[in-house]
Amino acid sequence: MVWHCLQHLPDEGPGHAADWLAAHGHPLSYTRLFEPNPVFPALADFDGLLILGGAMSVHDEAAFPWLVEEKAFLRSALRAGKITLAICLGAQLLAQALGGEVRSNPEPEIGFWTVRFSAKALTHSLLRGWPDKAAVLHWHFDTFTVPPGALRVGMSAGCAAQGFVWGDGVIGLQFHPEMTEAMVENLIAFEGHETAEEQEFVQTAAQIRSKLKSVWKGRKLLETLLENLVALHNSESVA
C-alpha cells in the first residue's frame, strides 16, 4: 500500500507512523508544505493519505497561502475515496472539508491526558483492538465539531471531540499518537514551552517529561489503526 504524507512543519514528521510503514514495506512519499513551491501528487500515485499536525490554524490562509491548495487537494482525495488518516491540524482540516466547524477549544490542551473512546466507535473496523481509554499526547488550541454523518471517536476532560471516523476508511484524531520522545522534546522547544506555567489542561515541560514513556500508548493505538487501514485497503483490492 502506497502512502503519501502532508507535512506542515519540519519537526512534526510522521514519527511512529513512518517507522511502522517502513517496517511493513509500505512506501511513503511527502509533500512538505514548509518548503518553497510544494507539489501535490496525482491521486493515482498513492493509496493512503497521512495528514500531520502543525502550529498554524486552518483559518490562516493569508499567512500560509498553501492552505488553499492543500484544502482543495484534500477534498479531491476524499471524492476519490482515498483512505485517510489525519492528526491534530490534519484532523481539523479533514473536519472542515467534511462540513464540520473548526474553532478555539475552550482551553488549550497540552500534555498527556486521558481520552475515553466511545463504545460505539470501538465497534468500527478501523478501531478494532483499541482499549476503552488511553493517556496520550495533546498539543492544540483549536478543536472541531464532528462532521455530519461521522462517528465521534472519543473525548477527554479538556476536549469534547478527540476524533471522528467518516465512512469506512477516513479517520481524524485530535491527539498525537505519532510522536516519539525526541519529537516531544522538539515540540517543547519549538513552542517555547520550557517556562510555561501549569493550567487546568496544560502540563509544564517537567510534567510532560515525567510522562514521556507514555508515547508508547499512542504508538500502540497508531500501529493498530494502521494495521486496520491496510487490512481495509487489501480487502477493497480483492473485491
Side-chain angles (χ1 to χ4, degrees):
M1 181 177 180
V2 177
W3 285 79
H4 188 77
C5 176
L6 303 182
Q7 183 176 346
H8 302 104
L9 290 173
D11 289 334
E12 288 202 40
H16 292 310
D19 294 341
W20 188 92
L21 292 172
H24 291 81
H26 302 289
L28 178 64
S29 57
Y30 293 83
T31 295
R32 294 182 171 93
L33 292 149
F34 51 88
E35 295 181 346
N37 305 313
V39 176
F40 294 89
L43 295 176
D45 290 345
F46 66 95
D47 306 302
L49 183 62
L50 173 62
I51 314 173
L52 301 177
M56 60 287 296
S57 164
V58 303
H59 304 298
D60 288 344
E61 293 178 357
F64 302 96
W66 45 257
L67 276 167
V68 175
E69 190 175 358
E70 182 183 19
K71 290 177 182 181
F73 173 76
L74 175 53
R75 290 192 296 269
S76 296
L78 290 170
R79 286 194 297 269
K82 295 296 181 179
I83 288 172
T84 301
L85 167 57
I87 296 170
C88 200
L89 170 63
Q92 294 164 8
L93 287 164
L94 180 61
Q96 187 183 60
L98 293 171
E101 180 186 354
V102 178
R103 59 196 181 204
S104 295
N105 201 49
E107 299 288 341
E109 188 179 33
I110 297 173
F112 289 93
W113 303 98
T114 296
V115 174
R116 298 183 182 277
F117 301 115
S118 156
K120 186 174 182 181
L122 290 175
T123 66
H124 195 284
S125 60
L126 292 189
L127 303 187
R128 186 181 297 115
W130 275 27
D132 295 336
K133 61 182 179 179
V136 290
L137 180 71
H138 308 260
W139 207 297
H140 66 105
F141 297 85
D142 287 351
T143 187
F144 50 77
T145 59
V146 175
L151 178 65
R152 185 170 67 170
V153 163
M155 64 185 298
S156 64
C159 183
Q162 282 291 344
F164 61 90
V165 179
W166 186 81
D168 294 328
V170 174
I171 182 167
L173 300 174
Q174 182 58 73
F175 57 92
H176 282 280
E178 85 288 5
M179 290 246 172
T180 65
E181 292 185 34
M183 289 172 66
V184 178
E185 286 287 357
N186 288 338
L187 192 55
I188 290 172
F190 178 80
E191 293 286 345
H193 197 71
E194 200 65 62
T195 58
E197 297 183 357
E198 183 178 5
Q199 300 176 42
E200 185 175 6
F201 299 113
V202 175
Q203 295 167 353
T204 65
Q207 289 171 328
I208 292 171
R209 288 193 177 101
S210 73
K211 301 174 185 292
L212 267 182
K213 296 298 182 184
S214 291
V215 297
W216 74 266
K217 298 178 182 178
R219 177 177 183 174
K220 181 60 179 175
L221 294 176
L222 180 64
E223 291 178 344
T224 301
L225 175 57
L226 287 169
E227 289 173 2
N228 292 337
L229 287 165
V230 170
L232 171 66
H233 170 72
N234 291 341
S235 67
E236 290 179 345
S237 298
V238 171

